[in-house]
Amino acid sequence: MTDFIDSPYVKNLAKTTENLYRHGWDERNGGNVSLRLTKDEVEAYAGTDKVLRQITIKFDASELAGKYYLVTGTGRYFKNMIEYPERDMGLVRISEAGNSVDLMWGFNDGGEPTSEFPAHLMSHIERLKKNPNQRVIMHCHPTNLVAMSFTLPLESKVFSRTLWQMHPESIVVFPEGVGVIPYMCPGTNEIGEKTANKMQDYRVVLWPHHGVFAAGDSLDETYGLVETVEKSALIYTTIQAQGGKILQSITDKDLHDLCKRFDLTPNPEFLSAAETATV
């Protein structure tokens, strides 16, 4: 039986974190990722049948009792994860009581899950209600999107419409838009609760002046979601650097045509049939 360290889950998470670092979205020990695995997926690998130790978490995750998560560690540098996966990530199982996790693999130097793990679990709970195939929560710091949070009103509609108008793929990839919460101190249950509440309607939630939380069915899908949002933010930033004067743009009719072509329903609060003005 193959050891868990050689599983595609470990390899794909390490590759994803390296890509996040290379993009400049997870400097130093910034950012964190959690990937839900099924019991069958875990038990197919050697070295995952013993509880190595219990780790307390500051959140009641009993709704997720028995579920497994491969999660990045607190204080870990994403640039190192591909070389030291068994040190910098861990496989945990949510306890029945919900206030601790069983470490099944990894964190072999005594490490623990990211300090944002309670926030991850809150968002996992909400997204699983919307999509039973949901697996990933990803937190990172996309540079241009964060920059926009200093110059645009912190409103979901403003951000969503602005990003949609920057590139045709935007409304196709995130037709529900982007959720925006107020600036809050990271690493707290309060910001986790606010984010999870937004996750009821959005797969990407902007933390102003900081970064994003994103959800998806796979590492690739979630990474691609953030990548698309950030590409639109880069185009917006480039326009501003060129003087900000827009001579032509993607119109509401264009956005409706895109949704019709790809059989999508855009957020009706942000793009109704009656809307003709641009942001």
Side-chain angles (χ1 to χ4, degrees):
M1 185 181 289
T2 306
D3 289 339
F4 188 69
I5 194 170
D6 296 318
S7 72
Y9 316 115
V10 171
K11 292 179 180 178
N12 288 341
L13 182 55
K15 179 181 177 181
T16 298
T17 55
E18 184 180 44
N19 284 336
L20 287 164
Y21 169 74
R22 298 296 176 197
H23 258 314
W25 300 345
D26 286 294
E27 67 291 334
R28 199 173 182 269
N29 63 321
N32 29 82
V33 183
S34 59
L35 168 66
R36 180 175 61 83
L37 299 177
T38 68
K39 183 178 180 182
D40 288 343
E41 288 169 340
V42 169
E43 292 182 346
Y45 293 90
T48 58
D49 56 344
K50 293 181 180 179
V51 177
L52 303 178
R53 53 190 165 93
Q54 282 197 323
I55 303 170
T56 301
I57 57 174
K58 296 178 180 179
F59 170 64
D60 178 4
S62 54
E63 285 188 61
L64 299 172
K67 294 193 183 311
Y68 292 86
Y69 289 93
L70 185 61
V71 58
T72 57
T74 184
R76 304 308 166 123
Y77 289 37
F78 273 17
K79 68 176 183 178
N80 296 331
M81 209 159 295
I82 199 160
E83 188 172 0
Y84 305 105
E86 199 167 3
R87 183 193 70 184
D88 293 342
M89 66 176 79
L91 176 68
V92 300
R93 182 179 62 198
I94 309 299
S95 69
E96 289 301 316
N99 58 1
S100 67
V101 297
D102 300 325
L103 179 64
M104 313 303 295
W105 175 90
F107 298 145
N108 62 6
D109 65 346
E112 297 186 357
T114 168
S115 61
E116 302 284 8
F117 195 43
H120 278 239
L121 296 176
M122 294 176 202
S123 286
H124 276 294
I125 288 171
E126 293 305 325
R127 288 311 305 173
L128 279 169
K129 293 175 184 177
K130 296 289 184 176
N131 174 17
N133 296 317
Q134 189 275 338
R135 285 193 180 233
V136 176
I137 295 294
M138 181 179 293
H139 171 54
C140 59
H141 309 152
T143 307
N144 293 281
L145 186 65
V146 172
M148 288 175 66
S149 72
F150 289 91
T151 60
L152 288 182
L154 298 180
E155 300 172 6
S156 299
K157 181 175 181 177
V158 171
F159 265 84
S160 298
R161 286 179 55 81
T162 300
L163 293 167
W164 284 348
Q165 290 170 343
M166 293 299 103
H167 196 280
E169 287 192 5
S170 292
I171 199 167
V172 175
V173 174
F174 50 100
E176 73 276 23
V178 171
V180 180
I181 64 172
Y183 176 81
M184 301 176 69
C185 180
T188 65
N189 280 14
E190 288 74 19
I191 195 171
E193 291 164 0
K194 185 72 74 171
T195 302
N197 184 58
K198 280 288 184 183
M199 281 283 181
Q200 295 172 15
D201 300 309
Y202 304 95
R203 289 170 298 139
V204 178
V205 177
L206 172 64
W207 289 10
H209 322 325
H210 184 151
V212 297
F213 253 50
D217 294 1
S218 68
L219 289 168
D220 275 351
E221 182 201 8
T222 313
Y223 182 91
L225 175 60
V226 176
E227 196 171 32
T228 305
V229 172
E230 173 63 1
K231 181 60 174 283
S232 292
L234 173 59
I235 294 170
Y236 176 83
T237 300
T238 304
I239 291 170
Q240 302 311 304
Q242 293 178 359
K245 185 176 182 180
I246 296 177
L247 300 181
Q248 51 273 323
S249 66
I250 296 174
T251 67
D252 279 18
K253 181 183 182 305
D254 295 330
L255 294 173
H256 278 295
D257 288 345
L258 282 163
C259 290
K260 183 178 180 180
R261 164 63 179 82
F262 292 97
D263 194 24
L264 300 167
T265 301
N267 190 324
E269 294 183 12
F270 301 164
L271 186 68
S272 70
E275 281 183 324
T276 58
T278 58
V279 172

